Amino acid sequence: MSFQNKDNIKKFEKPSYEIKGLTDNKEITKRYFNNILGMIYGNCLGDAYGLSTEFLNKETIKELYPPKKDQFIDFPDYITNKHNARWDKGDWTDDTDQMILIMQSFLKNKESKTLEDCSRFNGSEFAKLLRDWVENGFQELSDQCGMGLGQTVGSVVFNDRFLEIPTLVSKYVWLDHNKSMAANGSLMRTSIISAMDFLNQKTVLENTIDCCRITHYDSRCIISCIVFTHIISTILKNQFNNQDDDEEDDHIKIIEDLIKEIDQNGFYELMAEFHFNSNKMVDEHLREDYLKQFNTYMRAKEWVDLALDDSTSIGYVYKCLGSSILTIRKYLQYYKDKKTKDKIPSYLFRKVLNELIREGGDSDTNGAVAGALLGSIIGYSNLPKDMLLEMPNKSWLDVQVVDFINLVDSRIKKSQVEQFTIDKNNFNKLNLSYLDETDSNPNTDFLKPKSTNPNKSTENENCIIQ
C-alpha cells in the first residue's frame, strides 16, 4: 500500500483466509496452486512483518523488543516510529506493491493476440504502471502516491524519457553512477515472475532479465533475480509434475535438495560465473570479486555473516538474496533440532522471519524475499492464518490473485506452455542478447540528466524517495 487519503478510503471486505474462487472450491488442493499462493502471500507477510524493524540496527531492536525464548515481535501491533507509522499496521509496503504491478502487467497481456505475448513481460506496460503507481499509488485504495521508493528506481522512473525508452534510461542511470548501483529493489518484486509459465524456465529467465533491467542494470542484480526465480520456478515445476503422487508434500525435502544444489552441486555458482564472464559490461577486474561475494552470501550459515544492519550496505542485493537462503537454512535447522517443540510449518515460518527482521537493516525487503521463497515451499495452507487476517488490503489483492492463478492455469490446461528445464547442460547455451551489449552499444549518450526532483514531484512529504 502507499500513502493514503484517510478521508477517502474505500471500504473492502474484511480479510479472509479463504480466497473466493480458489480456496472455497478446493482448488488450493492443486499442489502448485498452493505453492504459488504461498509465494505471493508469503511475500506480503514478510514485507509487512519486516516493516516493524526497517532501518533499525540490531542494538535498537534489542532494546525495543528484548529477546526472549519463543517470543516474537508482535504483528501487527509492533512499536511504531516516524518511518513505519506512515503505513497502516499489518499492511505491506512498496516491495509488494511493485510485485503486484508486475502481476497486473501479466494480466493485461490477456488482451494480446499471440499466445507467446501472453506470457512475456511487457516492459512498456510495466513502465506505465510503475510511473502511475509512483505518482498516484493504487487509487482503488485511495492512495495519494507511491511510498517508500528506492533511490535506484526513483532515479530511473523520474527521468523525462522513462516511459519512452525505460531500459535505456535504466542503463544510462547505472552508467552515470559508475556502475555502482546494485540495489535490492530489483529482487524484492521478482517472485511473481517465477509463476508465469513456470514450466518453461527459459521464459521465466528471459522475463526476469527484462524486468530487472528496466530499473536495475547491474549484473549483480540480474544474477540475483534469475537465481531467485529459477529456484522458485523449479519448486513449482516439481510440484506440478508430482501432483498425482499419493505422498504428502515433503517441504523438508524441497529445502534439503535446494541447499544441496547450492552447497554441493554448485549449479547456481556456475550460472553466476557464466553470466559475469559473458557480460561485456562487467569490468574484468571485478568479475572474480562479484562471484566470490555471490558465493559468500549464498552460503552464509549465520546472521552475523550477512551484517544486515550495516548502514553502508543495507540495500545491497546480495545481502537480500543471501538472507532468503539463510532463512530456509534456519527453518531446516529448527525443524531437525530435537529441542524445537513446535515444528508446525506456520510456527517455523514466523520463527525464522522473526529472527530475520531482528537483524534490522532493510528488513521489509529482506522479509519480502525470504517470505516469498519460504512461502513457495510450504504453501499458502501453511502460512500463519492469524497474520494473513491482519493484512487490511488482503481482500483487494485476493481478486487479482485469482485472475492471475486462472491465467497461469488456463495456459497450462490449453497446452500453451512448452516445458523447458534450465540445468547444468544447457544454461550456458541459451541465446541471451543482453550479454552482447557494451557500455556504448546501445548508446545512451543522447540521454541528458533532465530528471525532475522526486521530492518536488508530489505535494506530500510521505511520497519522497527513502
Side-chain angles (χ1 to χ4, degrees):
M1 190 205 75
S2 304
F3 184 69
Q4 290 183 323
N5 181 345
K6 298 292 184 180
D7 296 326
N8 192 34
I9 296 178
K10 296 181 180 179
K11 300 296 183 181
F12 290 91
E13 292 184 18
K14 289 184 178 181
S16 170
Y17 174 75
E18 287 72 26
I19 302 173
K20 291 184 178 180
L22 288 178
T23 55
D24 54 348
N25 64 11
K26 298 184 180 180
E27 283 288 342
I28 199 172
T29 57
K30 290 185 178 180
R31 281 192 177 181
Y32 65 97
F33 273 26
N34 192 25
N35 294 86
I36 292 175
L37 293 172
M39 175 194 73
I40 293 172
Y41 291 96
N43 196 114
C44 299
L45 286 179
D47 182 6
Y49 199 24
L51 180 61
S52 61
T53 61
E54 186 180 18
F55 300 144
L56 303 179
N57 59 45
K58 290 175 63 175
E59 293 305 314
T60 300
I61 295 170
K62 284 182 181 179
E63 293 176 5
L64 294 174
Y65 307 98
K68 297 180 181 179
K69 186 177 180 181
D70 295 328
Q71 184 169 329
F72 306 147
I73 293 174
D74 198 9
F75 181 85
D77 293 323
Y78 50 77
I79 299 171
T80 56
N81 53 46
K82 185 177 180 180
H83 171 64
N84 62 32
R86 297 180 298 166
W87 283 268
D88 290 337
K89 284 190 173 182
D91 208 356
W92 57 74
T93 74
D94 61 302
D95 304 59
T96 299
D97 277 1
Q98 289 190 41
M99 179 197 72
I100 294 170
L101 295 177
I102 296 174
M103 181 170 64
Q104 290 177 344
S105 72
F106 280 126
L107 290 172
K108 284 184 175 292
N109 282 352
K110 290 192 296 184
E111 303 167 8
S112 175
K113 295 181 180 179
T114 66
L115 292 178
E116 183 180 6
D117 287 347
C118 286
S119 65
R120 297 313 301 259
F121 174 78
N122 187 329
S124 297
E125 186 61 45
F126 177 68
K128 293 176 185 176
L129 290 169
L130 181 58
R131 170 67 77 82
D132 183 69
W133 171 82
V134 168
E135 295 177 345
N136 304 300
F138 291 122
Q139 293 188 336
E140 314 94 290
L141 301 178
S142 300
D143 291 346
Q144 290 184 351
C145 62
M147 186 165 62
L149 196 64
Q151 181 182 0
T152 302
V153 176
S155 299
V156 175
V157 171
F158 285 107
N159 187 285
D160 294 337
R161 304 191 67 177
F162 174 68
L163 292 180
E164 177 189 353
I165 44 174
T167 304
L168 277 181
V169 168
S170 174
K171 179 180 179 180
Y172 168 79
V173 169
W174 177 65
L175 291 173
D176 191 51
H177 286 76
N178 299 315
K179 302 182 179 181
S180 63
M181 304 174 88
N184 56 18
S186 55
L187 187 60
M188 68 185 192
R189 65 195 186 196
T190 307
S191 60
I192 195 72
I193 299 175
S194 311
M196 190 68 237
D197 279 10
F198 61 85
L199 293 175
N200 189 323
Q201 292 187 312
K202 184 173 184 292
T203 297
V204 172
L205 174 71
E206 292 170 346
N207 284 342
T208 302
I209 293 171
D210 289 345
C211 181
C212 180
R213 291 167 75 234
I214 208 166
T215 49
H216 297 74
Y217 227 79
D218 195 281
S219 58
R220 290 165 291 180
C221 294
I222 296 172
I223 289 296
S224 298
C225 290
I226 63 177
V227 165
F228 189 64
T229 57
H230 184 276
I231 288 173
I232 296 180
S233 65
T234 298
I235 293 169
L236 300 178
K237 198 169 187 288
N238 290 340
Q239 292 298 88
F240 174 85
N241 290 328
N242 297 323
Q243 63 183 315
D244 294 329
D245 291 352
D246 292 332
E247 293 184 11
E248 187 176 337
D249 176 21
D250 186 356
H251 66 283
I252 294 302
K253 185 177 186 306
I254 294 175
I255 296 176
E256 289 175 333
D257 289 346
L258 173 55
I259 292 176
K260 181 179 179 181
E261 195 68 66
I262 293 171
D263 292 347
Q264 298 178 32
N265 297 343
F267 169 60
Y268 293 112
E269 178 182 356
L270 291 173
M271 180 184 285
E273 183 177 21
F274 168 73
H275 280 266
F276 283 137
N277 290 338
S278 302
N279 190 331
K280 295 179 175 58
M281 290 191 292
V282 178
D283 296 337
E284 190 170 350
H285 71 282
L286 290 176
R287 291 174 181 171
E288 185 176 343
D289 182 51
Y290 285 177
L291 182 61
K292 183 179 179 180
Q293 288 185 41
F294 173 83
N295 290 327
T296 297
Y297 284 108
M298 285 284 283
R299 292 171 178 163
K301 300 300 191 296
E302 297 296 338
W303 297 117
V304 67
D305 299 334
L306 298 177
L308 295 177
D309 67 341
D310 181 351
S311 61
T312 64
S313 58
I314 63 171
Y316 190 28
V317 68
Y318 277 173
K319 287 196 171 189
C320 184
L321 177 65
S323 67
S324 70
I325 302 300
L326 183 51
T327 297
I328 65 168
R329 290 183 191 274
K330 289 292 185 179
Y331 184 101
L332 182 63
Q333 175 186 323
Y334 288 125
Y335 183 86
K336 290 190 171 184
D337 189 345
K338 294 180 180 179
K339 296 180 182 179
T340 304
K341 296 180 180 180
D342 193 342
K343 299 186 179 183
I344 298 173
S346 59
Y347 173 82
L348 291 180
F349 176 91
R350 186 161 183 171
K351 181 178 179 65
V352 294
L353 280 182
N354 175 70
E355 276 198 12
L356 170 61
I357 67 174
R358 281 181 177 274
E359 293 298 307
D362 201 353
S363 51
D364 67 327
T365 297
N366 296 334
V369 176
L373 177 56
L374 187 51
S376 74
I377 295 172
I378 67 174
Y380 181 81
S381 59
N382 284 316
L383 294 178
K385 185 175 180 179
D386 62 315
M387 296 182 75
L388 289 168
L389 295 177
E390 294 294 347
M391 293 194 295
N393 293 309
K394 183 179 182 294
S395 61
W396 169 79
L397 177 59
D398 288 349
V399 176
Q400 300 173 78
V401 169
V402 171
D403 287 344
F404 179 72
I405 291 284
N406 287 337
L407 172 62
V408 172
D409 193 45
S410 66
R411 287 183 54 77
I412 294 174
K413 287 179 177 178
K414 295 176 182 177
S415 301
Q416 295 173 346
V417 185
E418 180 181 356
Q419 290 215 33
F420 186 96
T421 301
I422 294 179
D423 54 30
K424 285 185 177 181
N425 299 317
N426 62 14
F427 74 92
N428 58 352
K429 299 175 184 177
L430 301 174
N431 182 22
L432 301 175
S433 59
Y434 93 95
L435 294 174
D436 295 325
E437 290 188 12
T438 63
D439 290 5
S440 57
N441 183 26
N443 196 290
T444 62
D445 291 342
F446 64 95
L447 287 167
K448 296 181 180 181
K450 296 181 180 180
S451 302
T452 58
N453 185 341
N455 291 349
K456 296 181 180 180
S457 63
T458 67
E459 297 180 354
N460 196 294
E461 63 180 5
N462 288 281
C463 304
I464 64 174
I465 294 177
Q466 305 182 141

